[in-house]
Amino acid sequence: MSTAHSPDGKEAFLRIDNVVKDFGGGAVAVNHVSIDIARGEIFALLGSSGCGKTTLLRMLAGFETPTSGRIVLNGQDLDALPPYQRPINMMFQSYALFPHLTVWDNIAFGLRRDGLPKDEIAERVESMLKLVQLSKYAKRKPHQLSGGQQQRVALARSLAKKPQLLLLDEPLGALDKKLREATQLELVKIIHEVGVTCVMVTHDQEEAMTMASRIAVMSEGRILQVGAPGDIYETPATRFVADFIGNVNLMDGTLVVDESDHVEIECADCRHMVGHGITGTVGMQVSVALRPEKITLTHLEPAGPCNRATGTIRDLSYFGSFTVYHVQLASGAAMKVSMANTRRHAEDQLRVGDTVWAHWDSSSQVVLTQ
Ligand code: ATP
């Protein structure tokens, strides 16, 4: 049995219950996955290629049948329903807009196929155009629109049928970085305005962090952790999740002091003072996860007690608003440090080759036991 990952205190609108998909040949694409998703959530399935996220999404849509387990939407078991009878719509990365139809007709397409009365179709298309702010573009063909606008037409078309569940497969994969960032926020705003529950698949962690209310990190068919973006980033449960989400320095060490309000971990380059207790015993091997932006670099050794390690700057990457420093510590291990460039001309500028002190406070680390 696997445990359901439930939204805090909210009733499940979509229940994925112990779902397995075994294509045969040894690898199980989705392996005992249970997730409860609340009404109105934007839920992201995040993982690297082959982790099973698309297979899970396709089972929600009805394009694949689970080997075992149940999927229940709003109290209704989806098992017996073919894709076209499910109150679900899927929006693909390629948009799949019809090139020869106008924006208006693209949005109306599914409604016409369902045989809705003409005036209701017109009303829904107009309101969708308004929602995605494309009323002015109703008569254009898809090739006369920008990528972001085409994306919004695809969203309008997906929402026109008023689905109970919207599935997004790498929704912004075809857009360049800048447009993607702007469109992410627009999409979230529209989805919240409509109030539709949404499950999205992405391998782009920034996209998941920006858009989703909760994220499930998947690997090899299993869910490793489910949580709000901030929880997953600040409190990863395993080395894999810490490493997968954002940048992290992982240091192996031994637990040498184990108190309820703090622990100490002896690593090759420093002794970590950690300001919280862990479930562990003295002598056990653990990893300490430390995000690059939680570390400060200075030429001078910091005064007073704090976590510190010394090393040499081997490389730096300038990103405008911040710089990432690659520091080689005494043991030879590399430490990444990211610092905001808050001043134009810093007197104590850090350069490649400098000997520096890296320091961080005792609330910065996460101790991982698995
Ligand atoms: P990507 O991001 O590359 O699309 P993914 O995380 O979405 O990857 P899936 O497409 O769900 O991964 O695939 C999960 C596993 O199941 C992979 O090992 C894949 O080869 C396998 N798989 C997917 N579809 C089939 C199928 N129809 N028959 C056999 N194996 C399949």
Side-chain angles (χ1 to χ4, degrees), residues 21 23-24 27-30 47-56 58 64 169-170 201-203 218:
K21 181 66 191 183
F23 287 110
V28 181
V30 174
S48 46
S49 182
C51 73
K53 54 193 188 301
T54 306
T55 302
L56 185 53
R58 289 173 57 80
E64 299 285 358
D169 184 8
E170 303 275 0
V201 153
T202 182
H203 66 274
M218 288 186 75

Side-chain angles (χ1 to χ4, degrees), residues 299 311-314 327 348-356:
H299 283 115
T312 307
I313 298 178
R314 289 290 175 222
V327 179
D348 52 351
Q349 203 178 351
L350 300 162
R351 294 191 166 83
V352 172
D354 287 0
T355 299
V356 286

Side-chain angles (χ1 to χ4, degrees), residues 21-59:
K21 181 66 191 183
D22 186 351
F23 287 110
V28 181
V30 174
N31 202 347
H32 295 281
V33 165
S34 293
I35 313 169
D36 282 354
I37 295 174
R39 193 186 285 273
E41 265 201 276
I42 300 181
F43 191 93
L45 300 169
L46 176 67
S48 46
S49 182
C51 73
K53 54 193 188 301
T54 306
T55 302
L56 185 53
L57 199 76
R58 289 173 57 80
M59 285 193 280

Side-chain angles (χ1 to χ4, degrees), residues 93-269:
Q93 177 179 347
S94 57
Y95 322 142
L97 295 177
F98 299 112
H100 57 288
L101 295 183
T102 63
V103 166
W104 207 101
D105 289 330
N106 260 288
I107 299 174
F109 186 84
L111 306 175
R112 285 191 176 127
R113 205 179 43 188
D114 284 357
L116 256 65
K118 258 191 173 157
D119 49 347
E120 189 175 343
I121 293 176
E123 194 184 308
R124 280 211 211 170
V125 172
E126 294 299 337
S127 87
M128 284 299 129
L129 280 168
K130 219 163 134 193
L131 182 74
V132 298
Q133 299 183 354
L134 286 175
S135 300
K136 278 196 307 200
Y137 299 84
K139 291 204 175 82
R140 289 207 190 172
K141 299 272 177 65
H143 74 271
Q144 295 168 313
L145 300 176
S146 72
Q149 289 164 341
Q150 290 182 35
Q151 186 67 56
R152 270 147 55 200
V153 177
L155 181 66
R157 192 179 58 179
S158 304
L159 293 173
K161 287 177 78 173
K162 299 188 180 168
Q164 292 187 25
L165 183 64
L166 177 67
L167 305 177
L168 306 175
D169 184 8
E170 303 275 0
L172 306 172
L175 305 183
D176 67 43
K177 188 170 159 43
K178 225 169 177 160
L179 187 55
R180 205 161 60 213
E181 283 168 7
T183 313
Q184 280 164 4
L185 298 176
E186 255 170 34
L187 234 63
V188 169
K189 191 170 149 266
I190 295 167
I191 290 167
H192 283 322
E193 238 170 271
V194 179
V196 67
T197 308
C198 186
V199 178
M200 63 184 277
V201 153
T202 182
H203 66 274
D204 179 341
Q205 43 163 299
E206 276 178 30
E207 191 157 291
M209 303 278 266
T210 312
M211 294 184 65
S213 49
R214 285 190 306 147
I215 297 172
V217 181
M218 288 186 75
S219 174
E220 297 179 354
R222 291 183 183 274
I223 303 268
L224 298 184
Q225 190 171 355
V226 175
D231 293 342
I232 299 231
Y233 186 81
E234 297 294 352
T235 329
T238 61
R239 287 178 63 105
F240 182 94
V241 174
D243 205 19
F244 186 72
I245 305 280
N247 275 312
V248 73
N249 296 293
L250 284 168
M251 292 171 252
D252 295 330
T254 309
L255 184 65
V256 289
V257 172
D258 179 24
E259 299 291 338
S260 60
D261 63 343
H262 75 280
V263 295
E264 293 181 25
I265 290 142
E266 193 70 51
C267 293
D269 293 289

